[in-house]
């Protein structure tokens, strides 16, 4: 089983990229589970016809003692198993702790043993702001981390922070940085800027994704590029990303 | 609200279970808390504390450390303490605050181990679970790490699993049971974990049978069976009759290599109610049935072992459920003295103190359910 986390600055394209990656991996014949670790709970909507599925924290809120896996794991497009951790009531509670609680529930219900996915993808909110959002990279969870970034300053800044957090945790047996995914915003010198960051933090750029109107178009049609436009060049790019991610990660 | 405790004190929590199980083994034990939890353990859950040189500490977690995530400070303090104390291992436990902020104690332990080379365990105790869970986790972690696999089994040698003062106090309980078994020619390789050293535990794979003395030792028995194929038996040799009985099971387990788990001792109808630690109450129930033929119910406020449960064995997950069970008109009830206060109308009540419930109130008293005392007790109470 591979367990892979996708991090990156808010709005950089983590969820879109992860959903397309899931769709591509599933097209290649793998059983994929995508876990959205973001109170917005929109990670997997592209795999569920634009709808947001009930979250783990919703289930815990409504029926704390009677939750079963069917209440929190939903099969989306291409058979991808979709989970959303969810979040607290906006304005109160603790989102980071919420992620931990959701993960503990999945563990308690033996989700990984029951579904036996080949690949688990964690789509994690923005930067590593607190302990909860580092949960997906703790021992026993993701082994490999890919950071989505563009050449924009703030995206590079966030990517560097995430890489620093991972290297701070290296004595703890946490996940390791497996590479950067450049999701192009077409800023000047973008490839060079991102390559320079990769060198600085001792990793590589595993894939450059173009900025494409097709992504928006698929989103408007409530699906992923890979499912809706598999023959398109953007579809091809995501298929290639899937291959690169497989090459750059390893089984747990 | 049904879990609200109004009359009973809170039972010993998970971190007390971990500390209690590891107390005698030369480890540095740290409860990550502001000090209330450590004080709770050393003051109310650990009869061995005063006069001992055991290394149990509080990490003195402060609000600002929780807010800022000052794990480094903790790690450095621990490494410094290790320099001074040279522990054989480190056990780091959580409490409510680390739980709420999601401190990764396993991760911190891994870091300490990788920096110091000394085995370190992180326990995800929360202070919200019960002591037996902690005992079980601690014994499992210890065994996974320290028990040497390459030891030939020696006939007639046993390990005792799940021994802590929280279930057995520090007076006559454990020595008596050990004595009953040794008098029947058995040799105790290691007792997990009272009266044995870490080295005894390391050598314990040489035992041919494991004896589960409490529910907290049950997970370890299953682990040692899957790891080394060592069969186990479940029961307490409270007196000669139960010791003979247990030795037959040990002998059969040794000959067949199969674990001998006694059937349920309770039945649908119950004239007598026993409330307490499951293995203790199961053994006591067997003895009552042998002595008197009376039917018995067993109520478990703590971990219940499914394999020895049957009709008439049930969970008592709250004070309310204990009070309800006490109002069902049993001829006699056995349990910790504090449960008695929940009984509405009087009735025969035999007080069997349980440290995990009544703490230091009775922990200097000898247990009344051992040896000849047990059969006198049964004659006096159950048969009257
Ligand atoms: N390669 C691309 N080409 C064009 N548009 C893209 C591309 N990748 C992502 N987008 C668009 O960027 C927007 C933000 O993407 P997405 O929601 O995936 O970001 P995110 O990193 O998950 O955000 P958040 O941090 O809020 O969860 C979406 O509208 C998406 O369609
Ligand atoms: Mg997102």
């Amino acid at each position: 089983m591979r367990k892979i986390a996708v991090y990156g600055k808010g709005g950089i394209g983590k969820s879109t990229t992860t959903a397309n990656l899931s769709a591509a991996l599933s097209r290649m014949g793998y059983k994929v589970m995508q876990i959205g670790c973001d109170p917005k709970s929109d990670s997997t909507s592209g795999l569920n016809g634009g709808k947001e599925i009930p979250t783990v924290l919703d289930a815990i809120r409504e029926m704390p003692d009677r939750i079963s896996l069917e209440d929190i794991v939903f099969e989306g497009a291409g058979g991808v198993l979709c989970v959303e951790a969810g979040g607290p009531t906006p304005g109160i509670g603790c989102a980071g702790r919420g992620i931990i609680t959701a993960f503990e529930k999945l563990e308690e219900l033996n989700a990984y043993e029951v579904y036996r996915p080949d690949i688990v993808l964690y789509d994690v909110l923005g930067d590593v702001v607190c302990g909860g959002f580092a949960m997906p990279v703790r021992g026993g969870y993701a082994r490999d981390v890919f950071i989505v970034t563009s050449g924009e300053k703030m995206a590079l800044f966030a990517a560097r922070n995430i890489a620093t957090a991972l290297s701070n945790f290296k004595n703890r047996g946490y996940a390791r940085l497996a590479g950067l995914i450049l999701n192009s915003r077409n800023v000047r010198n973008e490839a060079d800027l991102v390559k320079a960051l990769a060198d600085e933090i001792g990793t590589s750029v595993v894939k450059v994704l173009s900025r494409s109107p097709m992504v928006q178009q698929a989103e408007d049609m409530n699906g992923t590029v890979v499912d809706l436009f598999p023959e398109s060049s953007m579809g091809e790019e995501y298929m290639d990303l899937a291959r690169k991610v497989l090459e750059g990660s390893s089984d747990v | 609200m049904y879990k609200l405790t109004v009359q009973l004190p809170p039972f010993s929590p998970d971190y007390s279970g971990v500390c209690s199980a590891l107390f005698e083994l030369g480890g540095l034990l740290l409860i990550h808390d502001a000090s209330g939890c450590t004080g709770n353990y050393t003051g109310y859950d650990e009869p061995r504390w005063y006069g001992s040189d055991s290394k149990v500490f509080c990490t003195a977690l402060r609000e600002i450390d929780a807010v800022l995530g000052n794990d480094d400070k903790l790690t450095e303090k621990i490494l410094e303490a290790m320099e001074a104390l040279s522990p054989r291992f480190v056990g780091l436990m959580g409490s409510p605050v680390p739980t709420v902020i999601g401190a990764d104690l396993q991760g911190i332990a891994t870091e300490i181990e990788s920096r110091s080379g000394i085995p370190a365990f992180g326990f995800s105790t929360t202070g919200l679970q019960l002591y037996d869970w902690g005992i079980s986790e601690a014994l499992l972690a210890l065994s996974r790490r320290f028990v040497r696999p390459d030891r030939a089994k020696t006939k007639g040698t046993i390990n005792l699993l799940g021994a802590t003062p929280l279930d057995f106090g520090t007076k006559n309980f454990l020595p008596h049971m050990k004595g009953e078994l040794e008098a029947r020619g058995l040799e105790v390789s290691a007792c997990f974990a009272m009266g044995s050293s870490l080295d005894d535990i390391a050598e314990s794979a040489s035992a041919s049978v494991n004896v589960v003395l409490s529910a907290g030792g049950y997970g370890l028995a299953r682990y040692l069976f899957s790891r080394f194929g060592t069969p186990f038996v479940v029961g307490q040799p409270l007196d000669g009759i139960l010791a003979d009985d247990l030795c037959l099971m040990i002998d059969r387990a040794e000959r067949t290599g199969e674990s001998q788990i006694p059937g349920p001792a309770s039945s649908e109808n119950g004239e007598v109610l026993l409330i307490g630690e499951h293995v203790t109450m199961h053994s006591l129930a067997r003895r009552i049935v042998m002595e008197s033929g009376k039917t018995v119910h067993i109520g478990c406020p703590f971990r219940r072992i499914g394999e020895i449960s049957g009709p008439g064995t049930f969970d008592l997950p709250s004070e309310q459920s204990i009070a309800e069970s006490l109002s069902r008109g049993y001829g006699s009830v056995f349990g910790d003295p504090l449960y008695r206060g929940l009984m509405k109308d009087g009735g025969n009540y035999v007080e069997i103190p349980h440290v995990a419930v009544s703490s230091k109130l009775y922990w200097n008293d000898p247990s009344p359910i051992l040896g000849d005392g047990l059969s006198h007790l049964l004659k006096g109470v159950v048969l009257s």
Side-chain angles (χ1 to χ4, degrees):
Chain A
M1 192 187 303
R2 300 223 173 155
K3 292 181 165 179
I4 297 164
V6 178
Y7 278 82
K9 177 190 167 303
I12 197 65
K14 296 178 295 293
S15 301
T16 313
T17 306
T18 309
N20 275 289
L21 181 57
S22 288
L25 289 165
S26 134
R27 206 163 262 266
M28 289 163 74
Y30 294 102
K31 191 161 173 186
V32 184
M33 177 180 268
Q34 179 169 331
I35 304 180
C37 311
D38 181 338
K40 276 201 308 302
S41 322
D42 63 346
S43 174
T44 59
S45 64
L47 298 164
N48 290 291
K51 283 194 285 294
E52 288 185 11
I53 57 172
T55 70
V56 180
L57 290 181
D58 287 341
I60 292 175
R61 194 178 283 124
E62 277 149 35
M63 41 185 174
D65 301 323
R66 294 174 283 116
I67 304 175
S68 63
L69 283 170
E70 295 82 67
D71 302 316
I72 53 178
V73 182
F74 300 89
E75 203 173 300
V80 176
L81 301 161
C82 300
V83 179
E84 292 286 353
T89 310
I92 42 181
C94 176
R97 176 63 229 186
I99 301 285
I100 297 174
T101 303
F103 273 53
E104 285 171 351
K105 184 53 82 178
L106 286 170
E107 200 84 344
E108 182 190 319
L109 298 174
N110 282 323
Y112 305 115
E113 286 78 11
V114 171
Y115 291 100
R116 303 191 154 279
D118 301 308
I119 298 159
V120 182
L121 295 172
Y122 302 94
D123 168 16
V124 196
L125 163 148
D127 310 4
V128 188
V129 289
C130 72
F133 295 96
M135 186 76 182
V137 298
R138 286 189 186 177
Y141 293 99
R143 187 178 183 291
D144 297 287
V145 177
F146 290 91
I147 303 175
V148 181
T149 185
S150 68
E152 292 159 301
K153 204 169 164 194
M154 289 315 289
L156 293 170
F157 181 76
R160 188 181 287 110
N161 277 347
I162 295 158
T164 306
L166 287 174
S167 82
N168 283 346
F169 287 142
K170 68 175 184 300
N171 279 330
R172 290 193 183 183
Y174 281 21
R176 50 168 205 154
L177 180 56
L180 303 181
I181 297 167
L182 165 49
N183 196 24
S184 306
R185 285 289 178 102
N186 301 336
V187 299
R188 217 154 56 84
N189 271 342
E190 190 158 42
D192 292 342
L193 288 166
V194 176
K195 172 76 172 56
L197 174 69
D199 292 343
E200 178 195 325
I201 60 181
T203 189
S204 61
V205 182
V206 296
K207 177 71 189 165
V208 179
L209 294 168
S210 314
R211 183 153 190 88
S212 156
M214 201 150 269
V215 173
Q216 204 71 52
Q217 208 176 324
E219 196 172 86
D220 292 342
M221 293 166 72
N222 297 320
T224 60
V225 174
V226 171
D227 287 320
L228 294 171
F229 314 111
E231 311 297 331
S232 67
S233 70
M234 197 60 202
E236 275 304 319
E237 287 191 21
Y238 284 124
M239 291 303 291
D240 190 48
L241 171 68
R243 287 186 285 272
K244 294 286 161 45
V245 163
L246 284 176
E247 277 165 28
S249 60
S250 41
D251 286 321
V252 289
Chain B
M1 295 293 269
Y2 91 108
K3 286 230 164 170
L4 201 62
T5 294
V6 181
Q7 289 192 46
L8 295 175
F11 299 152
S12 297
D14 48 13
Y15 54 76
S16 289
V18 172
C19 287
S20 190
L22 302 180
F23 189 79
E24 298 180 10
L25 302 174
L28 172 62
L29 304 177
L30 299 130
I31 302 177
H32 195 25
D33 78 322
S35 90
C37 296
T38 309
N40 180 36
Y41 167 65
T42 57
Y44 300 95
D45 287 339
E46 186 46 84
R48 296 166 294 187
W49 177 247
Y50 290 100
S52 97
D53 55 4
S54 233
K55 302 180 265 290
V56 183
F57 293 95
C58 158
T59 61
L61 175 67
R62 292 291 169 262
E63 183 182 5
I64 197 68
D65 300 324
V67 172
L68 297 179
N70 283 338
D71 285 358
D72 286 352
K73 197 166 142 190
L74 173 64
T75 314
E76 296 308 325
K77 269 202 281 190
I78 295 174
L79 289 167
E80 217 172 286
M82 289 169 76
E83 283 287 316
L85 299 166
S86 315
R88 306 238 1 221
F89 62 90
V90 175
L92 181 59
M93 280 145 273
S95 67
V97 169
T99 302
V100 169
I101 59 169
D104 182 12
L105 299 166
Q106 269 107 343
I108 297 171
T110 306
E111 179 167 352
I112 287 167
E113 177 162 342
S114 76
R115 288 177 59 183
S116 67
I118 309 264
F121 309 107
F123 295 102
S124 49
T125 52
T126 61
L128 308 170
Q129 309 173 84
L130 295 172
Y131 77 102
D132 44 1
W133 183 88
I135 293 174
S136 184
E137 290 294 302
L139 295 181
L140 278 169
L142 192 71
S143 305
R144 286 199 184 104
R145 183 60 66 90
F146 290 109
V147 177
R148 297 208 180 94
D150 48 353
R151 293 295 182 272
K153 294 197 175 66
T154 316
K155 235 177 140 277
T157 307
I158 55 172
N159 293 319
L160 304 177
L161 313 186
T164 68
L166 291 167
D167 286 319
F168 302 106
T170 50
K171 299 295 166 194
N172 58 340
F173 209 140
L174 204 63
H176 175 89
M177 292 196 294
K178 225 167 148 179
E180 292 280 10
L181 296 173
E182 281 166 353
R184 285 161 180 76
L186 292 166
E187 192 188 324
V188 175
S189 169
C191 176
F192 291 70
M194 288 173 80
S196 285
S197 67
L198 196 56
D199 299 313
D200 297 333
I201 281 172
E203 298 299 322
S204 65
S206 64
S208 63
V209 178
N210 289 319
V211 180
V212 178
L213 292 181
S214 74
Y218 192 66
L220 175 60
R222 298 188 58 138
Y223 165 74
L224 293 172
F225 180 68
S226 68
R227 179 84 173 78
F228 305 113
T230 315
F232 61 86
V233 302
V234 180
Q236 293 178 2
L238 297 173
D239 69 352
I241 293 173
L242 286 171
D244 287 341
D245 198 46
L246 193 62
C247 284
L248 283 178
M249 288 198 280
I250 293 171
D251 184 53
R252 207 174 308 137
E254 188 168 67
R255 279 187 288 107
T256 62
E258 282 167 29
S259 297
Q260 304 293 314
I261 302 171
S266 59
S267 48
E268 199 89 55
N269 298 314
E271 297 155 275
V272 178
L273 172 65
L274 312 182
I275 304 179
E277 191 284 315
H278 196 184
V279 179
T280 308
M281 293 309 156
H282 182 271
S283 296
L284 190 56
R286 279 170 73 91
R287 192 64 185 76
I288 290 173
V289 173
M290 284 178 206
E291 180 86 27
S292 69
K294 292 243 159 109
T295 53
V296 179
H297 276 177
I298 299 176
C300 304
F302 306 99
R303 184 175 281 212
R304 183 171 57 75
I305 301 176
E307 283 78 353
I308 59 170
S309 299
T313 301
F314 41 81
D315 293 318
L316 292 174
S318 63
E319 181 176 303
Q320 192 184 325
S321 63
I322 297 173
E324 277 162 15
S325 77
L326 287 168
S327 68
R328 286 192 212 124
Y330 291 101
S332 2
V333 176
F334 290 64
D336 186 89
L338 295 189
Y339 299 141
R340 189 176 200 163
L342 300 170
M343 220 161 156
K344 294 230 168 51
D345 27 47
N348 243 329
Y349 194 99
V350 182
E351 301 191 342
I352 313 174
H354 186 189
V355 176
V357 176
S358 53
S359 173
K360 55 170 60 168
L361 287 180
Y362 313 96
W363 74 25
N364 287 319
D365 301 355
S367 171
I369 53 168
L370 302 172
D372 293 340
L374 177 57
S375 88
H376 288 307
L377 185 74
L378 297 183
K379 287 206 175 75
V381 182
V382 183
L383 295 177
S384 66

